[in-house]
């Protein structure tokens, strides 16, 4: 297996400046895990926001001559809407709507990742209805409602190839630490018997597919 590279100083500096929700230690773990799963194929990220985690994943894809598809409707999750805990008024567009597309493009351009990372603007469950490509990895960091997290697990985990990675963010063991939807899909993946625990850092959980998906044969 190829050795695992660390993020360049320029990219460490960039991710530090990008708005978002990926603590550095977890980002470093994500960067390493992604390098071990990318083998020249495609990876999917759900929840681009302004591209913070996309830089870690995208750089890993570049190192392994792979492609990262990053999916987001760019309207923000519930907690990003006006009046909610994580609302950032600087991300409201001229039309008065929350919109992170411009920030994502800016981040990818600055990281020189525009050729490696392909953004798709849309609702993840809609895109999953027509997706038909096996994946080296899936990173789930989109909507944290029960419905959104469940739809991401059901729509995307099936495409992870045997030996590929299913990575979930914001997995908290108790309600006090955070919402339980990501934790529940992480448990569902383990309980399916199709995945085994590979690594963890903070609220990041890395699973590896050990059995083919019954949905995809
Ligand atoms: N990974 C990012 C944080 C993602 S925040 C980082 O490192 O900073 C969650 C994102 O998921 C938001 O941008 C929101 O717009 C998006 N999202 C929520 N529900 C979604 C859905 N159903 N389909 C696509 N994107 C969704
Ligand atoms: Mg997150």
């Amino acid at each position: 297996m190829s050795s695992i590279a660390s993020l360049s100083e320029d990219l460490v500096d960039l991710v530090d400046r990008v708005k978002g929700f990926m603590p550095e230690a977890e980002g470093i773990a994500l960067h390493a895990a992604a390098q071990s799963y990318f083998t020249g194929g495609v990876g999917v990220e759900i929840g681009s926001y302004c591209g913070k985690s996309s830089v870690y994943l995208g750089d890993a894809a570049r190192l392994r001559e792979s492609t990262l598809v990053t999916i987001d409707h760019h309207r923000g999750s519930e907690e990003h809407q006006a009046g909610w805990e994580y609302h950032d008024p600087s991300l409201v567009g001229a039309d008065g709507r929350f919109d992170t597309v411009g920030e994502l493009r800016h981040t990818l351009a600055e990281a020189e990742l525009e050729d490696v990372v392909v953004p798709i603007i849309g609702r993840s469950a809609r895109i999953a209805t027509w997706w038909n490509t096996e994946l080296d990895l899936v990173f789930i960091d989109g909507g944290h409602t029960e419905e959104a997290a469940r739809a991401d697990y059901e729509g995307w985990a099936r495409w992870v190839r045997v030996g590929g990675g299913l990575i979930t963010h914001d997995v908290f063991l108790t309600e006090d630490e955070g919402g339980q939807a990501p934790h529940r899909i992480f448990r569902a993946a383990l309980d399916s018997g199709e995945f085994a625990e590979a690594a963890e850092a903070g609220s990041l959980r890395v699973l590896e597919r050990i059995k083919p998906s019954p949905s995809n044969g």
Side-chain angles (χ1 to χ4, degrees):
M1 196 178 91
S2 319
S3 65
I4 305 290
S6 49
L7 209 63
S8 72
E9 269 182 45
D10 284 355
L11 291 184
V12 169
D13 176 65
L14 172 63
V15 288
D16 187 48
R17 284 181 286 115
V18 175
K19 292 170 183 151
F21 309 98
M22 181 53 61
E24 186 176 336
E26 296 173 33
I28 300 287
L30 182 62
H31 186 238
Q35 288 178 64
S36 68
Y37 294 121
F38 272 127
T39 53
V42 179
V44 163
E45 168 178 58
I46 300 156
S48 329
Y49 199 65
C50 299
K52 204 178 186 77
S53 47
S54 318
V55 171
Y56 292 106
L57 289 167
D59 188 62
R62 167 164 52 201
L63 288 162
R64 294 290 183 266
E65 294 175 30
S66 303
T67 299
L68 176 71
V69 172
T70 186
I71 293 173
D72 201 308
H73 51 45
H74 288 284
R75 294 303 189 193
S77 302
E78 283 189 330
E79 65 273 22
H80 304 132
Q81 305 308 315
W84 290 67
E85 190 179 357
Y86 294 102
H87 181 59
D88 180 344
S90 73
L91 294 172
V92 176
D95 63 357
R97 295 183 201 210
F98 193 81
D99 187 354
T100 48
V101 173
E103 292 277 333
L104 174 67
R105 290 208 82 172
H106 181 83
T107 301
L108 296 179
E110 209 180 321
E112 296 179 14
L113 280 170
E114 288 186 286
D115 189 45
V116 175
V117 181
V118 179
I120 300 182
I121 304 171
R123 196 167 54 85
S124 56
R126 166 67 63 180
I127 296 158
T129 63
W130 51 261
W131 189 267
N132 196 13
T133 300
E134 187 176 73
L135 297 169
D136 282 344
L137 67 87
V138 168
F139 174 57
I140 300 182
D141 193 22
H144 287 354
T145 63
E146 201 61 52
E147 192 189 3
R150 175 57 57 175
D152 285 340
Y153 172 62
E154 282 168 5
W156 292 98
R158 56 189 292 193
W159 294 109
V160 176
R161 64 168 170 78
V162 172
L166 174 65
I167 310 174
T168 310
H169 196 226
D170 303 306
V171 173
F172 300 111
L173 299 186
T174 67
E175 195 75 56
D176 287 346
E177 294 167 275
Q180 292 296 293
H183 184 207
R184 276 194 271 274
I185 61 168
F186 164 74
R187 291 272 17 139
L190 272 180
D191 292 346
S192 73
E194 296 168 34
F195 294 91
E197 287 182 88
E200 64 173 80
S203 74
L204 193 80
R205 293 290 181 285
V206 182
L207 298 176
E208 185 166 319
R209 182 178 283 285
I210 50 173
K211 280 192 200 144
S213 161
S215 325
N216 288 39

